[in-house]
Amino acid sequence: MIHSLFLINSSGDIFLEKHWKSVVSRSVCDYFFEAQERATEAENVPPVIPTPHHYLLSVYRHKIFFVAVIQTEVPPLFVIEFLHRVVDTFQDYFGVCSEPVIKDNVVVVYEVLEEMLDNGFPLATESNILKELIKPPTILRTVVNTITGSTNVGDQLPTGQLSVVPWRRTGVKYTNNEAYFDVIEEIDAIIDKSGSTITAEIQGVIDACVKLTGMPDLTLSFMNPRLLDDVSFHPCVRFKRWESERILSFIPPDGNFRLLSYHMLSWDVGKINPQKLPSLKGTMSLQAGASKPDENPTINLQFKIQQLAISGLKVNRLDMYGEKYKPFKGIKYMTKAGKFQVRT
Amino acid sequence: MSSNSFPYNEQSGGGEATELGQEATSTISPSGAFGLFSSDLKKNEDLKQMLESNKDSAKLDAMKRIVGMIAKGKNASELFPAVVKNVASKNIEIKKLVYVYLVRYAEEQQDLALLSISTFQRALKDPNQLIRASALRVLSSIRVPIIVPIMMLAIKEASADLSPYVRKNAAHAIQKLYSLDPEQKEMLIEVIEKLLKDKSTLVAGSVVMAFEEVCPDRIDLIHKNYRKLCNLLVDVEEWGQVVIIHMLTRYARTQFVSPWKEGDELEDNGKNFYESDDDQKEKTDKKKKPYTMDPDHRLLIRNTKPLLQSRNAAVVMAVAQLYWHISPKSEAGIISKSLVRLLRSNREVQYIVLQNIATMSIQRKGMFEPYLKSFYVRSTDPTMIKTLKLEILTNLANEANISTLLREFQTYVKSQDKQFAAATIQTIGRCATNILEVTDTCLNGLVCLLSNRDEIVVAESVVVIKKLLQMQPAQHGEIIKHMAKLLDSITVPVARASILWLIGENCERVPKIAPDVLRKMAKSFTSEDDLVKLQILNLGAKLYLTNSKQTKLLTQYILNLGKYDQNYDIRDRTRFIRQLIVPNVKSGALSKYAKKIFLAQKPAPLLESPFKDRDHFQLGTLSHTLNIKATGYLELSNWPEVAPDPSVRNVEVIELAKEWTPAGKAKQENSAKKFYSESEEEEDSSDSSSDSESESGSESGEQGESGEEGDSNEDSSEDSSSEQDSESGRESGLENKRTAKRNSKAKGKSDSEDGEKENEKSKTSDSSNDESSSIEDSSSDSESESEPESESESRRVTKEKEKKTKQDRTPLTKDVSLLDLDDFNPVSTPVALPTPALSPSLMADLEGLHLSTSSSVISGLI
């Protein structure tokens, strides 16, 4: 499927290449550069570019183009989704994903890429598994490695890959057992000139940070699960349990992960006192010397409301089965402006 | 240090020898080649010396630098001989990096690459499944044609491995070997056929991928596995799901009849792409029989539905296209919500999803109408996303929502992004032609835009108005007059040309203005763009024919200018027009018809979506995105008129029973993983068999039946982890343990008889299937129970058995129970029999086993 991967920075240098099948010459990227020139802006470079013998599928993140070379028919989303997964993995490993960081950690990057694909087909894309295979670099480990000559490659074999819960590494141990959940909602809205709402919808996610010993089996229930209508899950969530009982039942991966995301079209504001209408006010000032914009510009808003999920979604309780200790549990709510635009 | 050691090496080779001994590899000393290179190229000298060093840390450093070179695309091939020697390094990281290097350069250095093969061959026999798997992975990635037979053998053996992980890697290796040597196709298909029967979710995705690449036309191989694949699907890893769903979509289109009713096609905007008239007649005939959906067809549609909630966009898209192509049209609606959800994702995902929605929305507006507002454009969207959203909005426009949409479009026209503003104007034009109620409104709106400050907006409006007026031959004199005035100000050539053409076409409707325009144009002719010049010539000709009194001289003047123009197209056109309109001796019959020719009724241009009919490509494919057939694209066939025999998908009970009886059971069949999500369900009979054991624990304690499912889940994985620990911890002890297990397992079989009865009571599903699975269950159960006691006994046996196990560990037949017997029989007679007191069940067990020895021997020979 995926033949090769080229990483290209904003100035058009190929700073990393990796091949999973026969080597494809980097000159194939010339077609990409042509398209890049035509597009003027990076975000307008088409994600799929046909060339005489190959197809170039790319994603643009952190000012880096990740360009995959393929030779035959493949669902384009398959490749695109995989490339995003690669970026996520780098971010997970190094904290940030940038050209200098990738260059500094080129060996780890290479080892990770080697494990992620076999002959161009995804092999291990779960970060729990990858981290078992190749340990992410930390300052401490770098120091220790230099002194003792030990390595970043896990000496354990990736047992998780063989287990029934492939997303969770085995033998997890913590002295403090904690499970934190963040319910984060973003409001996407377009408000027109007159102040009336054209569209408003809520995009929510529940991000989790679970550090629990052993193989905990968690259930998370909501006060008002009926709010969740359009949902997508992390693979650990048991579909059928959700369908029948509206309960999230799962064995979590170790560490940070996105448990679910949801989407709501309606935004129920609730009761508002007509005497005291809530209002947000702001002023906009042009930079000194800047010419007045041609047309009335669209204004993008950013705001944050702590400890509130605007949809009204509330977690009822979290239970743990399968382990005996008592974990520390925490939940946080937050509402943010997503793509919140005001047309003037 | 290196500077000293190197010459020493070269002179005596002594260092080399010690090192070889130390490494315990079978590599031939490549010192000759080494010396040759080093004298030529000094730059990688230090790396070579580091690789020759005795210290792992130096070697590791060298390998890291080399990998850095490879990553940058620098040529590191000359280091091959020095690197390949480290292929058997004990240090895992060095070894891994050597693998990386090897896979990269083996193709260029085929002879030297052969030196590493024996290391992998040895590793293929390693007791640890992960080492076997990685050896197979690297061996099959070395693209050296001479090792094709070795690869073939390795794949065959690995495909019968006990570990599903190794079998998964075997499936990957199939594709690698196929691309290296397509001649192996037939043999590889055999392996694919075997692996398709595999019940492990780990293997399913990979083998279907191999199937798609090697033999996508062998749809017959799928029949017997169809139901199993449908049932496994939810538990396959996400990438495998995508591949399987695409394959099953193609399969369904060849095996089931169309679920689409005649009535649906009306809603389909007359889309009869697949059916010719004859087909339709037949269809109507057939319609007399009410349509009932094949249960297998239903199974696929039902089992893919939950995957619409996958976090993976590719999976969601795969399900969406499956619904689009094979579900009844009334049911396809459920995919819209999920596709709309994907629009929150990255721009690349949005791009692909929007393209697919664009194609769908042309044919079935209703699907996406409720989500109209999700396609509203945000100022922060990249242009390519904006234009795709516009496309969809246009497709969704109807009488009910057009006024809302037009208001929205007004905002877009004001956008800073001029390319997008222009696209919006085109869109308004399309809405105007599609929805007759608003044609006038749109036209007025566009005319208003003619006074816009921005020239691009004006120009685009002119072009669109021109198209609209052409479609509406009614009186639009006012608009034309307005546009004629624009000629003084507007400079965009295509707009000027459009205005001139409009005036020419309608010259009889604006008799006063037209000649005046021609006069102005005659003045500026020489400075106009070529496009405009051609239209001036046309205008002149049309006026000459309708109003020669006023325009004869002007036209002749223009024709003279055109005659000496620099552009040959214009010179040609001038010559052509002159011959046609100015009567002379030579011009003959044609000039009589000049008026008819020039002022003929011209068909209005169709303002069509670029996504029209794009769905003859399977949705979600690369070909669909590019609107070109991509290499390796597999056509989606039309629905068959009559469904092929559905019984081909039946997995006969008798056949199963046969399969089970001789050996008691085929372990591989039964070795499917325990399904995570299924763990709470006990509805399906197929589940009960798959429940039987978790492969992760297959070498260790098996899944207990008892207890809450969640618990047992956890047990097994803990077990397996401890097993892994011990494996890596003391590899030497492993063989012992392994044999011990076999022993205990065999012994456990008699125990299992009790358990079996219990099982029969508790399980109420398909009998034959269940029986076999319950045997497995209980045997595995007892295996873990009896382990402690049998351990001591088996220790005695192990030494004798060890050699044998090694040889037979991966026999041709994949049957573990057979293997057990082979191991067990010769040895157990002398050793195990004297100790019946230890486990009386063993005796009974042995007797039972004796019955099947003959068959096992036979199959062993085969």
Side-chain angles (χ1 to χ4, degrees), chain B residues 635-651:
Chain B
E635 294 283 351
L636 208 54
S637 79
N638 298 341
W639 294 105
E641 282 304 318
V642 180
D645 181 13
S647 67
V648 288
R649 285 182 293 278
N650 292 349
V651 184

Side-chain angles (χ1 to χ4, degrees), chain A residues 194-263:
Chain A
S194 59
S196 56
T197 312
I198 293 179
T199 72
E201 51 189 52
I202 298 166
Q203 308 284 347
V205 294
I206 299 183
D207 282 343
C209 176
V210 178
K211 295 182 173 175
L212 297 174
T213 307
M215 272 291 162
D217 196 330
L218 304 178
T219 56
L220 187 77
S221 60
F222 299 96
M223 307 275 264
N224 39 10
R226 270 181 306 151
L227 283 177
L228 298 176
D229 166 41
D230 183 12
V231 214
S232 70
F233 299 114
H234 189 276
C236 71
V237 176
R238 298 176 175 107
F239 271 130
K240 294 198 171 154
R241 189 94 191 267
W242 171 258
E243 291 212 323
S244 56
E245 298 170 59
R246 296 275 141 175
I247 282 175
L248 291 177
S249 159
F250 56 99
I251 294 176
D254 183 45
N256 295 310
F257 66 100
R258 173 153 296 173
L259 181 63
L260 94 164
S261 30
Y262 55 93
H263 177 216

Side-chain angles (χ1 to χ4, degrees), chain A residues 27-318:
Chain A
S27 62
V28 75
C29 293
D30 292 348
Y31 294 99
F32 180 81
F33 296 134
E34 271 173 37
Q36 199 181 4
E37 246 168 67
R38 270 198 303 273
T40 60
E41 271 176 78
E43 59 173 14
N44 276 323
V45 176
V48 182
I49 301 168
T51 80
H53 301 289
H54 301 91
Y55 305 94
L56 305 177
L57 275 68
S58 64
V59 304
Y60 180 65
R61 276 177 76 182
H62 306 290
K63 305 220 161 94
I64 301 170
F65 282 104
F66 295 77
V67 184
V69 183
I70 59 167
Q71 246 174 356
T72 52
E73 172 64 60
V74 60
L77 274 184
F78 186 101
V79 181
I80 285 167
E81 183 81 21
F82 174 79
L83 291 176
H84 281 299
R85 207 63 72 82
V86 169
V87 183
D88 293 342
T89 307
F90 288 171
Q91 226 171 343
D92 199 28
Y93 260 79
F94 313 120
V96 282
C97 176
S98 68
E99 186 187 349
V101 166
I102 290 175
K103 278 181 170 166
D104 285 351
N105 294 288
V106 69
V107 174
V108 177
V109 165
Y110 232 69
E111 284 165 344
V112 169
L113 288 176
E114 182 76 21
E115 293 300 337
M116 286 185 87
L117 284 180
D118 180 19
N119 195 40
F121 190 79
L123 191 63
T125 51
E126 286 293 337
S127 93
N128 262 249
I129 307 265
L130 284 168
K131 283 184 173 170
E132 227 176 357
L133 289 163
I134 301 133
K135 290 181 193 130
T138 59
I139 297 171
L140 182 69
R141 192 169 299 125
T142 317
V143 174
V144 171
N145 286 354
T146 353
I147 297 167
T148 63
S150 58
T151 71
N152 279 330
V153 172
D155 43 5
Q156 274 189 337
L157 290 150
T159 49
Q161 214 158 2
L162 310 170
S163 96
V164 285
V165 280
W167 52 86
R168 186 173 177 87
R169 64 192 183 94
T170 47
V172 183
K173 276 202 183 82
Y174 289 102
T175 42
N176 295 321
N177 290 291
E178 320 162 301
Y180 297 107
F181 295 87
D182 291 352
V183 180
I184 303 166
E185 299 193 336
E186 295 190 357
I187 306 174
D188 286 359
I190 303 177
I191 314 279
D192 77 2
K193 238 184 212 173
S194 59
S196 56
T197 312
I198 293 179
T199 72
E201 51 189 52
I202 298 166
Q203 308 284 347
V205 294
I206 299 183
D207 282 343
C209 176
V210 178
K211 295 182 173 175
L212 297 174
T213 307
M215 272 291 162
D217 196 330
L218 304 178
T219 56
L220 187 77
S221 60
F222 299 96
M223 307 275 264
N224 39 10
R226 270 181 306 151
L227 283 177
L228 298 176
D229 166 41
D230 183 12
V231 214
S232 70
F233 299 114
H234 189 276
C236 71
V237 176
R238 298 176 175 107
F239 271 130
K240 294 198 171 154
R241 189 94 191 267
W242 171 258
E243 291 212 323
S244 56
E245 298 170 59
R246 296 275 141 175
I247 282 175
L248 291 177
S249 159
F250 56 99
I251 294 176
D254 183 45
N256 295 310
F257 66 100
R258 173 153 296 173
L259 181 63
L260 94 164
S261 30
Y262 55 93
H263 177 216
M264 270 177 258
L265 279 171
S266 65
W267 173 18
D268 191 8
V269 180
K271 277 183 191 163
I272 290 177
N273 182 355
Q275 262 74 51
K276 269 170 71 182
L277 280 173
S279 67
L280 282 173
K281 276 185 188 162
T283 50
M284 193 185 73
S285 47
L286 283 177
Q287 224 174 5
S291 60
K292 200 178 160 235
D294 261 11
E295 303 280 347
N296 300 329
T298 307
I299 297 164
N300 290 304
L301 286 192
Q302 288 298 330
F303 58 79
K304 254 185 206 177
I305 312 166
Q306 301 284 356
Q307 290 311 324
L308 170 81
I310 196 82
S311 67
L313 185 73
K314 275 224 163 61
V315 172
N316 185 23
R317 55 181 297 150
L318 175 75

Side-chain angles (χ1 to χ4, degrees), chain A residues 26 73 114 151 186 188, chain B residues 72 93 137 344 347 623:
Chain A
R26 54 164 69 194
E73 172 64 60
E114 182 76 21
T151 71
E186 295 190 357
D188 286 359
Chain B
K72 280 185 207 134
E93 189 163 18
R137 211 182 134 190
R344 265 291 287 194
R347 94 186 156 104
S623 304

Side-chain angles (χ1 to χ4, degrees), chain B residues 736-754:
Chain B
N736 288 349
K737 205 169 172 190
R738 193 177 272 276
T739 357
K741 289 258 169 61
R742 295 232 173 87
N743 248 349
S744 65
K745 177 177 271 183
K747 197 176 57 143
K749 263 172 205 148
S750 61
D751 288 338
S752 73
E753 274 166 16
D754 294 354

Side-chain angles (χ1 to χ4, degrees), chain B residues 656-657 659-667 670-671 688-693 702-705 744-763 766-785 815 817 820 845 848-849 852:
Chain B
L656 249 184
E659 218 175 292
W660 296 119
T661 34
K665 65 198 187 268
K667 167 133 181 186
N670 220 343
S671 64
S688 66
S689 74
S690 51
D691 263 359
S692 60
E693 78 178 67
E702 299 292 354
Q703 193 82 35
E705 287 212 308
S744 65
K745 177 177 271 183
K747 197 176 57 143
K749 263 172 205 148
S750 61
D751 288 338
S752 73
E753 274 166 16
D754 294 354
E756 195 177 324
K757 276 170 202 159
E758 271 178 36
N759 284 338
E760 264 163 9
K761 276 179 210 159
S762 60
K763 298 199 179 175
D766 175 315
S767 64
S768 73
N769 197 1
D770 194 51
E771 191 171 80
S772 48
S773 71
S774 61
I775 289 174
E776 183 61 25
D777 271 358
S778 44
S779 74
S780 51
D781 225 358
S782 53
E783 179 183 336
S784 43
E785 280 163 25
D815 222 330
S817 46
D820 287 347
D845 192 33
L849 292 177
S852 50

